[in-house]
Amino acid sequence: MSEKRTEISELGEFGLIDQLAKGALIKNPSTLKGIGDDAAVLDAGDQVTVVSTDLLLEGVHFDLAYTPLPHLGFKAVAVNVSDIAAMNAIPTQITVSLALSNRFSVEAVQALYEGIYAACEQYGVDLVGGDTTVSRSGLVISVTAMGQAKKEQLSYRSGAQVNDILCVTGDLGAALVGLQILEREKQVFLSNPDMKPELEKYTVVTGRQLRPDARMDIIHELRELGVVPSSMIDISDGLASEIFHLCKASGVGATIYEDKLPIDKQTFDTAVELNLDPITCVLNGGEDYELLFTIDQKDFAKLEKHPDVHFIGHITKAEEGKFLVTKSGTAVQIKAQGWKHF
Ligand code: ADP
Ligand code: MG
């Protein structure tokens, strides 16, 4: 008798999550939103609590050959804070769970926590607990972040409306390009340990890979300007992939314009140096942790002059599809490549 065996790669990460989510029957009325957004939303009286969790594995998500431990600690917190930001909520607490091998000294763990505490300081969150255990295969860091918002302030992935303006913060593609540089210099070092890595030229892109910042600054500014995005998601898997998530959750399509896509000069130049297409890096590079959101046209004037918010396109009807209009004016279908873990 042979049992059916389906490879995880057949479903992919998102297909697998969709499949598993079917069993998650909501029993408590306080669960306002379960699986399917950047964070879960729980009723907490006047306010809601949002919760998000992420797992970082040595050898999959980071390489200790070029990752300083304080940066890693900071990043582990920042990527979770980014998911809280993506709900338009304010982060308040985190828990941190570690699996450590005996390769780690107390000093090394302290260095990791230097970064964790720096992020707690920067984002105004309290470390309130966690778990510590032993690992036989490398460092594992799991962070859970909690945050708060008023119900009417939340921005779900599902709220985008036809004719809304699509916005992104900062610039894109830097983290992917930074990773390529770090990998390249690691190989150079492995083949000749006397060679000093040449990294001074690349501090913007490597910095984005090693120590990304969650865009809480934007969340606070949106509040001051009185703008609640109609939908929002953070860009962890690449712009194209996040556009797909947003459009799927909202039941809409989107058109974006190549000439509006923000890319830093160092990212552009380094991509060219690495023989990568800069626009592909912008569309499919992961881990930038910028925010992708939509606003109603009536809010455009409030954000128009913001130096770090870029208007990259607009929302269309679902049947109009998802398109990138190139600089030469041709509309090409957007493909969601994102990161393939499986
Ligand atoms: P993000 O990139 O914002 O962290 P993910 O793509 O990791 O989001 O997850 C999408 C949704 O699926 C989230 O609601 C997340 O909580 C949920 N999810 C991911 N993995 C699992 C799992 N193994 N079991 C239940 N829910 C999961
Ligand atoms: Mg997210």
Side-chain angles (χ1 to χ4, degrees):
M1 201 177 77
S2 70
E3 274 187 35
K4 184 172 178 330
R5 181 192 154 89
T6 311
E7 298 304 325
I8 292 175
S9 57
E10 277 177 44
L11 290 179
E13 179 186 346
F14 302 128
L16 177 67
I17 295 173
D18 284 349
Q19 179 98 345
L20 298 175
K22 289 182 187 145
L25 304 175
I26 302 298
K27 292 168 284 300
N28 295 291
S30 55
T31 307
L32 300 181
K33 174 82 196 177
I35 297 170
D37 216 303
D38 292 292
V41 180
L42 317 179
D43 201 345
D46 290 348
Q47 301 238 320
V48 293
T49 297
V50 293
V51 187
S52 183
T53 194
D54 261 306
L55 191 58
L56 297 180
L57 287 183
E58 182 178 349
V60 178
H61 300 100
F62 59 88
D63 185 334
L64 290 176
Y66 51 72
T67 307
L69 286 167
H71 285 11
L72 182 60
F74 189 96
K75 179 171 179 174
V77 178
V79 301
N80 277 277
V81 167
S82 179
D83 277 322
I84 302 298
M87 301 304 292
N88 201 30
I90 306 294
T92 46
Q93 288 88 14
I94 57 164
T95 62
V96 175
S97 299
L98 298 178
L100 298 162
S101 70
N102 56 12
R103 265 195 308 130
F104 277 81
S105 63
V106 172
E107 288 74 18
V109 184
Q110 280 170 337
L112 185 72
Y113 268 71
E114 225 179 85
I116 290 176
Y117 284 126
C120 286
E121 184 66 32
Q122 175 155 335
Y123 301 120
V125 299
D126 303 327
L127 172 63
V128 295
D131 194 18
T132 306
T133 184
V134 67
S135 166
R136 308 247 175 269
S137 60
L139 177 62
V140 181
I141 310 171
S142 170
V143 176
T144 298
M146 283 141 280
Q148 281 181 346
K150 293 203 180 94
K151 235 183 234 174
E152 62 275 16
Q153 276 166 336
L154 287 173
S155 297
Y156 290 99
R157 292 179 181 181
S158 56
Q161 305 283 332
V162 174
N163 293 330
D164 280 358
I165 302 168
L166 257 175
C167 314
V168 290
T169 61
D171 57 84
L172 300 173
L176 168 69
V177 170
L179 179 63
Q180 305 303 315
I181 289 293
L182 291 163
E183 287 288 339
R184 183 184 77 180
E185 295 304 313
K186 180 186 169 185
Q187 295 312 323
V188 170
F189 178 79
L190 288 177
S191 57
N192 183 358
D194 295 330
M195 287 268 285
K196 203 175 158 315
E198 274 183 52
L199 291 169
E200 294 78 23
K201 238 176 86 183
Y202 306 107
T203 49
V204 171
V205 292
T206 55
R208 190 77 64 81
Q209 170 58 224
L210 295 171
R211 195 182 187 278
D213 199 3
R215 298 309 306 261
M216 279 313 301
D217 56 331
I218 298 286
I219 300 305
H220 291 294
E221 283 163 11
L222 288 171
R223 285 198 181 198
E224 281 159 28
L225 293 165
V227 177
V228 177
S230 49
S231 70
M232 184 147 56
I233 185 168
D234 70 327
I235 304 180
S236 52
D237 290 328
L239 177 64
S241 171
E242 313 304 356
I243 286 178
F244 267 73
H245 286 313
L246 204 88
C247 286
K248 187 177 174 201
S250 296
V252 296
T255 299
I256 61 172
Y257 297 86
E258 183 184 354
D259 63 349
K260 306 281 184 210
L261 298 178
I263 181 164
D264 180 86
K265 183 167 186 322
Q266 189 179 97
T267 306
F268 187 96
D269 293 346
T270 312
V272 170
E273 183 191 324
L274 292 166
N275 286 321
L276 297 170
D277 172 29
I279 291 301
T280 305
C281 295
V282 167
L283 289 172
N284 298 320
E287 297 200 287
D288 281 313
Y289 298 102
E290 296 291 347
L291 296 169
L292 170 70
F293 61 95
T294 55
I295 56 166
D296 189 295
Q297 296 206 4
K298 74 171 165 39
D299 284 329
F300 177 65
K302 296 184 201 161
L303 276 178
E304 195 181 0
K305 297 218 166 59
H306 195 294
D308 219 17
V309 173
H310 309 279
F311 308 100
I312 62 165
H314 59 271
I315 297 295
T316 60
K317 290 191 190 130
E319 57 269 28
E320 289 178 57
K322 294 171 275 289
F323 284 94
L324 168 76
V325 178
T326 64
K327 284 180 185 158
S328 60
T330 334
V332 290
Q333 211 152 5
I334 302 174
K335 295 195 183 69
Q337 288 194 318
W339 283 113
K340 299 254 181 301
H341 294 301
F342 294 104

